Structure formats: C-alpha cells, structure tokens
C-alpha cells in the first residue's frame, strides 16, 4: 500500500461500498479520503486516519500529486 492506493474497509466507521484513496502514510496509520463509490465518480465523504491493518488494498492506484508532499 502506498500514497494513491485505492482501498476499502470492513471497519464500522466506513459505509458499505465506500472506497478511499490513501493520501498520507505515517508508521502504521494512513490518512484516507473516503468516497461513496469509486473516487472521482462519486461524492466525497470525509478524510480520516486508519490503521493499515483495517484497510484492504484493491490493487488499483491513482496518480497523485501528493507523492511530493513532505
């Protein structure tokens, strides 16, 4: 998993069917921006920190300008 990875989760804080984009990774946590469905094609929900173990990498990735973030 890396910045720009599209993820899903079965965590109770994530609505069923929501997909997220990892925007930052720090240690064993990631900031994830969640969307109702596919990112860019559905409504943005929120951005929250999640433990990496609670995220499921879909194998998809978006090109992200946040790769240059410090």
């Amino acid at each position: 998993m890396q910045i720009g990875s599209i993820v899903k989760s079965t965590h109770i804080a994530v609505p069923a069917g929501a997909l997220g984009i990892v925007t930052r990774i720090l240690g064993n946590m990631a900031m994830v921006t969640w969307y109702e469905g596919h990112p860019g094609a559905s409504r943005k929900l929120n951005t929250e920190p999640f433990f990496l173990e609670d995220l499921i990498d879909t194998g998809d990735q978006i090109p992200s300008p946040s790769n240059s973030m410090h």
Side-chain angles (χ1 to χ4, degrees), residues 1-2 7-9 13-16 18 20-21 23 26-28 31 36 38 44-45 51-52 56 58 63-64 68:
M1 189 174 311
Q2 59 188 352
V7 296
K8 57 184 176 178
S9 180
V14 179
I21 299 172
T23 59
L26 182 59
N28 65 345
M31 285 300 286
E36 284 182 334
H38 198 277
K44 181 178 172 182
L45 298 173
F51 287 106
L52 295 175
I56 303 163
T58 65
S64 175
S68 62

Side-chain angles (χ1 to χ4, degrees), residues 15-38:
L19 292 174
I21 299 172
V22 175
T23 59
R24 182 175 284 156
I25 297 176
L26 182 59
N28 65 345
M29 296 198 78
M31 285 300 286
V32 181
T33 301
W34 293 101
Y35 295 83
E36 284 182 334
H38 198 277

Side-chain angles (χ1 to χ4, degrees), residues 4-16:
S5 293
I6 297 177
V7 296
K8 57 184 176 178
S9 180
T10 56
H11 192 281
I12 60 170
V14 179

